[in-house]
């Protein structure tokens, strides 16, 4: 059940020093995007050279915070206050019975790793993370994205996916290719599109994924013809490609009519029923009937 919060009373209850620090965070645009969590809301806050993720919500009738800045006490920290004020301005609804993230037991498969993280010093953890990022491009992209260090306007990060699409389009043009070459090209597309999805959504990325779907549709025909010797089902590549395409359409907030137009263009050029347009039903709304596909 959502509750009303007296914002003016909340402001009056904040100590002057905490209120001034929170105002500085808001003025500096340090509060990231609000995320619902456990009946309350959280956001990443960049406070000078550090980052924190405060949570605010109503627990047992009391407006409560849960922040990893280390400040302990009955009063809300400046990070939590800035998050709360951002939430009030956004007009979000708070649950009357929220659960702070710190009160939720860790999932069994994560508990051991969380314990290991807590045993590491900040320097040890930083070295471990940076070292793994150097070896794993997907992890590196996720890391930079979480840190707000990926620029959607910088299209240099699309080069690897563009190269994978180009190479896949040429894999059967010679006379010495094998089915294993088609499978390898498909798995490379699937791996690269996962990395692409971790980047900011851009129209260019969407167009590249559409090109990749068409390239894979043609290649998948070779797998279907050689089903008796293949080790890869076409759907293993199709599903991540189409899934990312749907995700980009949603993240770019495309109008349903534009999504329908894009889908129809792709479907018309696909010969092997690659596009499962049923995945887009919730995005298409009343335009769902305007997309023709045997896979509805």
């Amino acid at each position: 059940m959502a509750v009303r919060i007296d914002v003016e009373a909340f402001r009056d209850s904040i100590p002057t020093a905490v209120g001034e620090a929170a105002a500085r965070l808001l003025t500096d645009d340090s509060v990231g995007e609000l995320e619902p969590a456990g009946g309350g809301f959280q956001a990443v806050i960049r406070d000078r050279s550090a980052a924190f993720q405060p949570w605010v919500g109503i627990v047992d009738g009391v407006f409560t915070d849960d922040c990893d800045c280390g400040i302990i006490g009955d009063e809300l920290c400046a990070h939590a206050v800035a998050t709360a004020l951002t939430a009030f301005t956004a007009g979000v609804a708070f649950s009357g019975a929220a659960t702070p993230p710190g009160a939720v037991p860790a999932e069994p498969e994560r508990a051991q790793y969380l314990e290991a993280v807590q045993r590491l010093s900040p320097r040890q953890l930083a070295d471990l993370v940076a070292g793994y990022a150097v070896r794993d491009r997907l992890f590196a992209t996720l890391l930079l994205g979480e840190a707000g260090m990926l620029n959607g306007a910088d299209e240099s990060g699309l080069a690897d996916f563009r190269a994978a699409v180009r190479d896949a389009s040429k894999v059967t043009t010679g006379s010495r290719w094998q089915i294993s070459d088609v499978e390898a090209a498909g798995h490379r597309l699937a791996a690269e599109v996962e990395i692409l999805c971790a980047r900011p959504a851009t129209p260019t990325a969407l167009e590249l994924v559409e090109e990749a779907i068409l390239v894979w549709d043609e290649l998948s025909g070779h797998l279907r013809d050689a089903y008796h010797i293949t080790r890869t089902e076409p759907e293993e590549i199709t599903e991540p490609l189409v899934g990312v395409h749907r995700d980009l359409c949603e993240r770019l907030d495309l109008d349903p009519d534009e999504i329908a137009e894009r889908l129809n263009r792709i479907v018309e050029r696909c010969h092997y029923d690659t596009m499962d347009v049923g995945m887009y039903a919730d995005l298409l709304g009343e335009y769902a009937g305007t997309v023709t596909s045997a896979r509805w």
Side-chain angles (χ1 to χ4, degrees):
M1 178 178 178
V3 297
R4 291 180 60 87
I5 297 175
D6 188 331
V7 178
E8 290 306 317
F10 175 85
R11 291 179 182 274
D12 293 341
S13 70
I14 301 301
T16 302
V18 174
E20 291 176 349
R24 173 181 59 79
L25 294 171
L26 293 171
T27 300
D28 294 344
D29 198 24
S30 299
V31 183
E33 185 177 352
L34 285 174
E35 299 177 354
F41 290 86
Q42 62 186 15
V44 173
I45 289 186
R46 314 280 174 191
D47 189 357
R48 296 188 172 92
S49 61
F52 306 99
Q53 189 175 46
W55 174 93
V56 291
I58 300 173
V59 181
D60 296 329
V62 178
F63 200 84
T64 306
D65 73 328
D66 183 352
C67 186
D68 48 8
C69 66
I71 296 178
I72 301 175
D74 295 333
E75 302 292 343
L76 275 63
C77 68
H79 309 117
V81 171
T83 302
L85 294 176
T86 300
F88 298 156
T89 300
V92 300
F94 283 87
S95 166
T99 303
V104 179
E107 299 174 2
E109 60 269 24
R110 300 183 61 195
Q112 182 180 17
Y113 301 119
L114 290 173
E115 180 183 354
V117 167
Q118 293 168 358
R119 293 188 180 191
L120 296 177
S121 70
R123 181 177 297 175
Q124 284 178 302
L125 183 60
D127 287 344
L128 185 65
V129 170
Y132 191 72
V134 170
R135 298 190 300 272
D136 189 296
R137 288 178 45 240
L138 174 58
F139 180 78
T141 305
L142 291 170
L143 174 64
L144 294 175
E146 287 292 326
M149 296 173 64
L150 291 179
N151 184 357
D154 179 10
E155 296 188 353
S156 61
L158 304 180
D160 290 310
F161 187 72
R162 184 177 284 110
V165 175
R166 182 185 63 247
D167 293 345
S169 68
K170 298 178 180 179
V171 75
T172 60
T173 56
S175 59
R176 301 174 64 87
W177 65 271
Q178 302 177 22
I179 285 296
S180 60
D181 297 324
V182 175
E183 293 177 307
H187 286 295
R188 183 183 174 192
L189 286 175
E192 290 294 342
V193 84
E194 187 177 7
I195 297 173
L196 182 72
C197 190
R199 297 186 55 82
T202 65
T204 301
L206 180 63
E207 291 169 3
L208 277 174
V209 174
E210 291 177 350
E211 183 181 348
I213 289 172
L214 293 173
V215 168
W216 177 247
D217 179 76
E218 182 174 349
L219 289 178
S220 69
H222 296 291
L223 292 190
R224 299 177 194 278
D225 292 340
Y227 68 91
H228 55 292
I229 61 171
T230 60
R231 293 174 296 177
T232 301
E233 295 293 331
E235 289 72 21
E236 293 179 43
I237 315 303
T238 297
E239 290 177 2
L241 288 174
V242 177
V244 169
H245 184 266
R246 184 210 172 281
D247 179 74
L248 288 173
C249 286
E250 183 173 21
R251 289 164 60 193
L252 289 170
D253 197 25
L254 299 186
D255 291 332
D257 59 336
E258 181 179 348
I259 296 175
E261 183 179 348
R262 286 179 172 274
L263 290 178
N264 275 320
R265 285 203 303 265
I266 299 173
V267 169
E268 288 174 1
R269 297 176 60 187
C270 283
H271 304 294
Y272 296 98
D273 205 20
T274 294
M275 289 300 293
D276 180 3
V277 298
M279 294 175 58
Y280 300 77
D282 58 328
L283 301 182
L284 290 169
E286 63 182 18
Y287 286 87
T290 67
V291 182
T292 56
S293 173
R295 298 187 65 183
W296 267 104

